[in-house]
């Protein structure tokens, strides 16, 4: 039985494109693999603490000498690392906030990246497939005026593959603000097409991933 680690980071509980598309992926995953397990983290509803000096330095302290604060910081990082290590696949939903990822997702990354364990020469979850749904209100596609402002997929590709050794694939619904921003009214059709494509990719990729893991 395969385990899917599902992480959402949008601050919006409703009306979030990234949440909606990850929900399509997860629903398909569960339909294709009903005996499987889904571990879910909503980083907006239950935010993780940002990395602290205690969390960064606890690795150099003898566990027998931990203070209560050090023990809590250590245990949280181990819990997150174990979730990642147990997962057969990972699903991450992230909107673009000010050209990059939400701070809640950055907090998860900072906590879960542990040099010598999940990161380093032999990352403990290396090769695990990760599907990232990266939504954005406008378009930052190649050739668009704001292409160089895109620090969501560019950052996540580097950190997820380069540090954690994961295998990353992206689904990118664009122009998600077209229906609510009057100045973008002429882009509603393109927005709807992008969303339909994202939903289709979520279904296709979820089915392919279940088949791959079953094989």
């Amino acid at each position: 039985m395969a385990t899917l680690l599902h992480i959402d980071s949008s601050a919006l509980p409703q009306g979030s494109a990234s949440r909606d598309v990850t929900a399509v992926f997860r629903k398909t995953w569960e339909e294709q693999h009903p005996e499987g397990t889904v571990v879910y983290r909503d980083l907006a509803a239950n935010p993780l603490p940002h990395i602290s000096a205690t969390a960064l330095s606890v690795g150099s302290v003898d566990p027998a000498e931990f203070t209560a604060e050090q023990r809590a910081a250590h245990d949280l990082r181990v819990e997150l690392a174990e979730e990642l290590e147990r997962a057969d696949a990972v699903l991450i939903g992230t909107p673009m906030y000010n050209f990059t990822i939400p701070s809640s997702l950055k907090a998860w990354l900072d906590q879960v990246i542990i040099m010598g364990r999940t990161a380093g020469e032999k990352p403990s979850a290396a090769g695990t497939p990760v599907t990232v749904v990266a939504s954005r209100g406008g378009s930052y596609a190649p050739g668009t005026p704001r292409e160089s402002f895109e620090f969501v997929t560019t950052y996540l590709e580097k950190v997820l593959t380069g540090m954690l050794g994961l295998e990353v694939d992206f689904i990118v619904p664009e122009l998600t603000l077209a229906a609510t921003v009057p100045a973008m009214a002429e882009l509603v059709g393109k927005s709807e097409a992008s969303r339909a494509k994202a939903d289709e990719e979520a279904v296709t990729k979820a089915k392919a991933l279940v088949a791959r893991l079953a094989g």
Side-chain angles (χ1 to χ4, degrees), residues 67-84:
T67 64
E69 182 183 11
Q70 289 170 331
R71 173 62 65 186
H74 171 270
D75 288 353
L76 174 61
R77 300 195 79 186
V78 168
E79 177 186 352
L80 296 172
E82 289 179 346
E83 281 183 355
L84 178 62

Side-chain angles (χ1 to χ4, degrees), residues 88-127:
D88 297 288
V90 181
L91 172 65
I92 298 174
T94 175
M96 175 186 279
Y97 290 160
N98 303 313
F99 308 129
T100 189
I101 63 173
S103 62
S104 59
L105 181 55
K106 182 61 164 59
W108 178 80
L109 288 165
D110 287 340
Q111 294 283 4
V112 83
I113 294 172
I114 303 173
M115 294 305 299
R117 180 170 179 169
T118 59
E121 292 186 7
K122 296 181 179 180
S124 54

Side-chain angles (χ1 to χ4, degrees), residues 159-173:
V159 73
L160 294 174
T161 62
M163 296 196 74
L164 294 171
L166 308 177
E167 177 190 307
V168 184
D169 191 19
F170 289 98
I171 299 172
V172 184

